[in-house]
Amino acid sequence: MKSLNLIIVTIIIGMAMQACGAKQSDSGQEGTAIQVEAETLASSTVAKKFQYTGSVASVNQSTLSTRLMGQISRVLVREGDKVSRGQLLIAIRSNDIQAKEKQVEANIIQAQAAYKHAKEDFSRITALYKSKSATQKELDDITVHLAMTKAQLEAAQKAKDEVVEMLSYANIRAPYDGVITQKFVDSGDMANPGMPLLAIEAPGLFEVRAKIPESEIYKVEKGDTVEVFIDACKQAIKGSISHISPSSRFSGSQFDARIALQPAEDQKDVIRSGVFAHVQHFKGQESKLLVPNDRIVKRGQLMGVWTVSHAGQALLRWVRLGKTYGDKIEVLSGLNEGNRLILSAEGRLFDGAKLQIK
């Protein structure tokens, strides 16, 4: 009997404790409201932003080749070497051309001697003709002979120019001050006409070569200012559109554009040929619904913002975001004008939390 009474007392005490806990819980739920700052969303007028992609390239870049077929005897440079204008880069075996050069020089000497002798004969026959000691035919013959020797001398000199031109393709020299960016051959390789040997570019002057869709080509004009972003540079690089292709026939319905870069001093060292670039072009104005970047809540792949519901409680709204404008970002869907955005809170927010707006 005592055991039964003890069990009943224990049950009653437990029920009383549960009731007290429930009251404390209800009291906690009905606790003080969270202090927040909020603002009413309204559309903002911003510059229209168009985005393109491209890659950085040097303004002056060349691929060196030759018109000769022959074995490469020496390659005097490697990738990354700085070279000066006129510096010898590659030598191709040209024994046959050098032999032809000697032959042409001998022909020039022979033609010069023949021309000199013909001039002397012409002077002598002319004097004799004036004293009526030479016939008209003798004068005509020496005149023709003089013209023939002069033509032979000129032909020999032109042949020398041709040989010199051919020898210039046997010795590949730098066309301007620059840096070797790629080497396609080594000593002992066979060079063929038109075959690339070296790639060279002039450092310091860079541009972005971008593609502009046909839907936006009429919004772009030569001279427009743009902002260029590359991964190695934290800040935007200033630029201007220097060239727009008038046709997209060979570029797949996209127009080629060139953007001249105007980097600051601390940005020049990070610009390299071939790196990927994002181009932002601002032109015109449009109305956008913008929210601060630091108010975006990320839950996995979902993006949301804390707002004030009609009941005055916290409400997390999921949104779809668009382009970034400085420290704010465009909201494409999920919010409307007139919604109240929570800017700051003096406590942890959760759906349904009671709010007190400052």
Side-chain angles (χ1 to χ4, degrees):
M1 188 66 180
K2 290 181 179 181
S3 300
L4 179 60
N5 291 335
L6 182 60
I7 293 173
I8 293 173
V9 172
T10 303
I11 292 173
I12 293 172
I13 293 172
M15 292 175 65
M17 292 179 64
Q18 288 180 355
C20 292
K23 288 181 180 180
Q24 291 177 357
S25 176
D26 292 342
S27 176
Q29 291 180 357
E30 296 176 357
T32 59
I34 300 174
Q35 299 283 333
V36 298
E37 291 184 1
E39 71 172 2
T40 302
L41 290 176
S43 297
S44 303
T45 300
V46 296
K48 286 186 179 180
K49 183 196 295 187
F50 305 96
Q51 294 182 330
Y52 319 116
T53 58
S55 60
V56 177
S58 176
V59 175
N60 295 325
Q61 55 181 349
S62 307
T63 301
L64 306 182
S65 59
T66 181
R67 292 172 56 185
L68 300 179
M69 176 180 290
Q71 189 178 35
I72 297 174
S73 58
R74 290 181 297 165
V75 179
L76 305 175
V77 291
R78 296 179 296 179
E79 289 93 340
D81 287 353
K82 294 182 179 181
V83 296
S84 302
R85 181 176 181 177
Q87 179 179 336
L88 181 62
L89 307 179
I90 290 181
I92 301 174
R93 290 188 61 183
S94 56
N95 295 340
D96 54 340
I97 301 177
Q98 292 176 359
K100 187 176 181 180
E101 182 183 25
K102 297 296 183 182
Q103 181 181 359
V104 169
E105 289 175 351
N107 291 339
I108 290 175
I109 294 174
Q110 182 178 0
Q112 287 174 338
Y115 179 62
K116 180 181 178 182
H117 182 69
K119 284 178 66 177
E120 293 173 351
D121 287 347
F122 178 77
S123 298
R124 185 168 53 256
I125 296 299
T126 300
L128 290 174
Y129 178 76
K130 289 179 179 180
S131 63
K132 297 183 180 180
S133 299
T135 64
Q136 180 68 41
K137 185 178 184 308
E138 291 175 328
L139 180 61
D140 293 342
D141 289 344
I142 195 59
T143 301
V144 172
H145 180 65
L146 178 63
M148 290 177 60
T149 55
K150 183 179 180 181
Q152 290 171 353
L153 176 59
E154 291 177 350
Q157 291 172 339
K158 293 297 182 182
K160 175 67 179 295
D161 294 341
E162 181 182 0
V163 171
V164 172
E165 181 70 13
M166 294 299 291
L167 282 174
S168 68
Y169 288 99
N171 296 316
I172 308 300
R173 299 182 181 275
Y176 44 77
D177 295 345
V179 177
I180 302 299
T181 58
Q182 195 163 0
K183 182 166 69 79
F184 300 100
V185 293
D186 293 304
S187 299
D189 291 346
M190 182 65 68
N192 294 308
M195 170 184 171
L197 305 176
L198 293 173
I200 182 176
E201 66 179 35
L205 295 176
F206 293 97
E207 64 184 6
V208 173
R209 298 179 181 178
K211 299 287 187 180
I212 300 178
E214 61 181 9
S215 60
E216 299 178 4
I217 189 60
Y218 297 104
K219 303 168 186 175
V220 179
E221 295 181 2
K222 185 178 179 180
D224 286 352
T225 58
V226 298
E227 292 182 348
V228 178
F229 295 88
I230 60 176
D231 292 339
C233 189
K234 297 180 180 179
Q235 296 181 343
I237 302 171
K238 294 182 179 180
S240 61
I241 298 176
S242 59
H243 171 80
I244 303 173
S245 175
S247 172
S248 63
R249 180 181 176 187
F250 301 104
S251 54
S253 298
Q254 290 190 325
F255 292 80
D256 292 325
R258 295 188 179 185
I259 299 164
L261 296 181
Q262 302 160 4
E265 288 297 327
D266 58 346
Q267 295 175 330
K268 292 181 179 180
D269 293 338
V270 299
I271 301 177
R272 300 287 183 89
S273 290
V275 299
F276 189 76
H278 294 275
V279 181
Q280 292 186 356
H281 177 218
F282 298 89
K283 196 163 189 178
Q285 292 184 333
E286 59 185 342
S287 181
K288 296 285 186 181
L289 193 63
L290 304 178
V291 299
N293 284 323
D294 58 2
R295 293 292 89 200
I296 302 299
V297 178
K298 297 181 180 180
R299 300 281 175 83
Q301 295 183 349
L302 297 177
M303 302 291 181
V305 292
W306 285 106
T307 61
V308 181
S309 68
H310 294 295
Q313 298 175 337
L315 175 63
L316 181 61
R317 293 178 180 266
W318 302 113
V319 296
R320 186 163 64 92
L321 304 177
K323 299 176 182 177
T324 300
Y325 295 85
D327 60 350
K328 293 187 176 182
I329 190 167
E330 174 189 7
V331 177
L332 300 176
S333 63
L335 287 178
N336 298 308
E337 287 190 74
N339 290 146
R340 288 188 295 172
L341 176 68
I342 297 176
L343 299 178
S344 64
E346 297 180 359
R348 188 179 66 86
L349 295 174
F350 55 91
D351 279 328
K354 289 186 177 182
L355 305 176
Q356 182 176 355
I357 302 175
K358 295 181 181 180

